[in-house]
Amino acid sequence: MATWSNINLQNSASPLMEQLTFFHDHTLLILTMITVLVAYIMTSLFFNKYTHRYLLEGQTIEVIWTILPAVTLIFIALPSLRLLYLLDETLEPLVTVKTVGHQWYWSYEYMDFINSREFDSYMIPYNEMSENGFRLLDVDNRTTLPMHTQIRMLVTAADVLHSWTVPALGVKVDATPGRLNQTSFFMNRPGLFYGQCSEICGANHSFMPIVIESVNTKTFIAWMLSAFDA
């Protein structure tokens, strides 16, 4: 989870987010090199005393400053295209969860079981929160999912536009009324992963958080069975 002192991306919890982080670092390195080079050239132009009153054109330098940006763009475009195909890749899911955005909470439905489990997930008010809770992020019903399992999320909305987003998983899906959007992810470690609605949806837009609880398969099955027993 990101904290007030963290200016970097959140620690990844899925292979997809790892690739997004690598691409971010790769692109940032290229931008840093360009910034340093341009700053050096501008500084040298300001402080040198060389002049050329009759300089009209320079074919060599024009070829260089045309080819170098093109090569730079290729070094950014190729990893970017690879990542776009990875984002769209869908494997055979083992668990499917449908989530519906409301003003201002999320509802979830586990669709792969004979008796599907459904619940609403509301943010816990500050005056009802435990001492070790996270203000504006904890919910009364967490979305429990098994790690090392391909998960498919079906996302829609009941009223206005929302966006189901969990940064640690590299997932951001628009929740559109009347439309069912799909995404998939694979969690490679246990933990609690927090997200929030990322589409301005009204007065309480910032009060509809998302909490994914990643557990092992045995714990997930026990959690599902406990709902049926209840």
Side-chain angles (χ1 to χ4, degrees), residues 10-22:
Q10 293 186 23
N11 293 331
S12 62
S14 69
L16 184 59
M17 187 58 193
E18 286 181 1
Q19 295 300 316
L20 288 167
T21 304
F22 292 153

Side-chain angles (χ1 to χ4, degrees), residues 170-188:
V171 175
K172 184 178 185 294
V173 189
D174 288 338
T176 308
R179 181 185 178 96
L180 201 62
N181 290 328
Q182 172 181 301
T183 189
S184 63
F185 55 88
F186 181 94
M187 296 181 291
N188 52 19

Side-chain angles (χ1 to χ4, degrees), residues 162-176:
H162 300 277
S163 184
W164 195 84
T165 306
V166 184
L169 302 177
V171 175
K172 184 178 185 294
V173 189
D174 288 338
T176 308

Side-chain angles (χ1 to χ4, degrees), residues 182-223:
Q182 172 181 301
T183 189
S184 63
F185 55 88
F186 181 94
M187 296 181 291
N188 52 19
R189 61 185 174 91
L192 291 176
F193 309 121
Y194 294 87
Q196 290 176 302
C197 176
S198 298
E199 186 76 38
I200 296 178
C201 55
N204 292 331
H205 157 67
S206 55
F207 303 120
M208 49 184 300
I210 302 158
V211 181
I212 302 293
E213 184 173 0
S214 176
V215 298
N216 58 49
T217 305
K218 184 177 179 180
T219 303
F220 173 73
I221 294 174
W223 179 77

